[in-house]
Amino acid sequence: MQKRVVVGMSGGVDSAVAACLLKEQGFDVVGLYMSNWKDTEPDGACTGEQDWSDVARVCDHIGIPYYSVDFSAEYMERVFRLFLDEYRKGRTPNPDVLCNREVKFGPFVKFARGLGADCIATGHYCDIAHEGGRNYLLRAADENKDQTYFLNQVTERQLDDVLFPLGGLYKKDVRAYAREHGIPVAEKKDSTGICFIGERRFREFLSRYIPMKEGDIVTADGRVVGRHNGVYYYTIGQRRGLGIGGSADGNGESWFVLDKDVASNRLIVSQGEDAVLFRNALDTEGFNFITRPDGEEFDCEVRIRHRQPLQRARAYIYKDGVRLVFDEKQRAIAPGQYAVCYVGRMCVGGGVIARSYDV
């Protein structure tokens, strides 16, 4: 009998090509669309209806059955609430990472098993190896599109019977394949940003959930240089959108966010690439090992943001997380984001950045 594989369909070209490739390989393919966000506001920007329509068109074209499942309650409880909690702390969270762990490789898999799935597949740009009862998450061939960063919080067991058909392909090849096979979304633009915010202005969206108040923008020595509309809006290292003009004693360089003092409602900035923006060490909390290396310390390569070039570091495992000491100083290490570690092509896991410093 054919193995049944349930493919997570987003309405985009990547999941469409993943489904088509698997059908060509002889699998019994079923498409499953997840609805993770319900927006009832008049200006609701979630593109769910259009995406579902595209899923239907793609699956009809390929000739596979398809279903939709509503995980908005799970998403609200397991992802969005934590997203807001992190912002209230003045940190910069990444909800896509949690969505993979808490929804795509949780309730989604359970629902797919109910459809008779032997395997689960997605259109992620990453690779996987199943060897000797172990699962290893590997970087994709296309480094520019690699998405292992967003999968750093999944467990090894969550990768059981998972397939990533695009692991060995480049984005240009995926587009070309879609055109050659007449897939309806071959030219559809890739989605960017956070699903539940969509095309809306981020500040407008966030203010609906977290009360904002104006405060001072100050230099590290306490000199007031402007006003902000809410410290939660800003990210460490940010230079655009600060609304600070030149000053008589300024040096003419751009202003950068150095830190956020949530308790005092102050945004701390510097004019120019201040040395304090660059640190060579960080501590993580809640580090998740997909594959734990031997010993209590190991050499690795690290990303502290998606698409950042890999950075060499030494990792030290301790009780509450992993400490990373970099060969070269890193710019704008943002608490709340994830530091993700690699040994060769293998993604060994990642953790939330708690603090950065120099050693």
Side-chain angles (χ1 to χ4, degrees), residues 124-334:
H124 282 100
Y125 283 87
C126 52
D127 214 340
I128 194 167
H130 302 289
E131 298 175 359
R134 301 293 305 276
N135 304 317
Y136 302 95
L137 182 65
L138 308 175
R139 298 205 312 271
D142 191 341
E143 282 286 351
N144 188 52
K145 295 295 294 183
D146 179 68
Q147 292 175 300
T148 50
Y149 180 91
F150 297 113
L151 293 170
N152 77 81
Q153 290 293 293
V154 302
T155 67
E156 181 182 350
R157 294 278 64 89
Q158 282 181 307
L159 296 174
D160 286 342
D161 304 314
V162 170
L163 304 174
F164 296 123
L166 307 188
L169 300 178
Y170 286 78
K171 182 71 180 198
K172 61 181 179 62
D173 299 322
V174 169
R175 290 280 187 194
Y177 178 97
R179 294 186 193 105
E180 291 167 6
H181 288 74
I183 293 176
V185 294
E187 306 300 335
K188 185 176 180 179
K189 290 183 178 180
D190 291 340
S191 60
T192 57
I194 302 169
C195 166
F196 51 77
I197 295 175
E199 300 300 323
R200 277 171 298 192
R201 299 167 74 93
F202 176 71
R203 294 185 179 188
E204 175 189 331
F205 175 83
L206 196 60
S207 66
R208 287 166 45 185
Y209 298 92
I210 302 177
M212 301 290 174
K213 62 179 180 179
E214 291 187 0
D216 288 332
I217 301 177
V218 303
T219 59
D221 59 5
R223 180 166 54 91
V224 177
V225 294
R227 296 283 288 175
H228 66 75
N229 294 319
V231 292
Y232 308 107
Y233 294 136
Y234 302 89
T235 302
I236 306 301
Q238 178 180 333
R239 71 174 181 177
R240 295 182 179 178
L242 301 184
I244 308 174
S247 58
D249 57 347
N251 59 20
E253 296 186 50
S254 299
W255 291 93
F256 292 83
V257 176
L258 292 182
D259 203 356
K260 295 184 287 187
D261 184 346
V262 175
S264 301
N265 195 34
R266 300 190 310 165
L267 188 68
I268 304 168
V269 299
S270 174
Q271 198 169 21
E273 290 275 318
D274 196 294
V276 76
L277 267 179
F278 294 83
R279 302 282 176 82
N280 72 345
L282 65 84
D283 289 342
T284 66
E285 57 189 33
F287 197 95
N288 171 66
F289 278 109
I290 303 171
T291 306
R292 178 168 175 153
D294 295 331
E296 297 305 307
E297 56 185 78
F298 56 95
D299 289 322
C300 60
E301 293 180 294
V302 180
R303 283 194 175 106
I304 58 173
R305 60 184 64 89
H306 178 44
R307 290 188 180 176
Q308 178 198 30
L310 290 166
Q311 306 292 308
R312 293 177 58 84
R314 183 75 174 170
Y316 301 87
I317 303 172
Y318 61 101
K319 181 180 178 181
D320 298 321
V322 170
R323 174 167 299 141
L324 295 169
V325 179
F326 294 90
D327 288 4
E328 298 181 2
K329 288 194 173 187
Q330 303 297 303
R331 181 187 182 279
I333 300 175

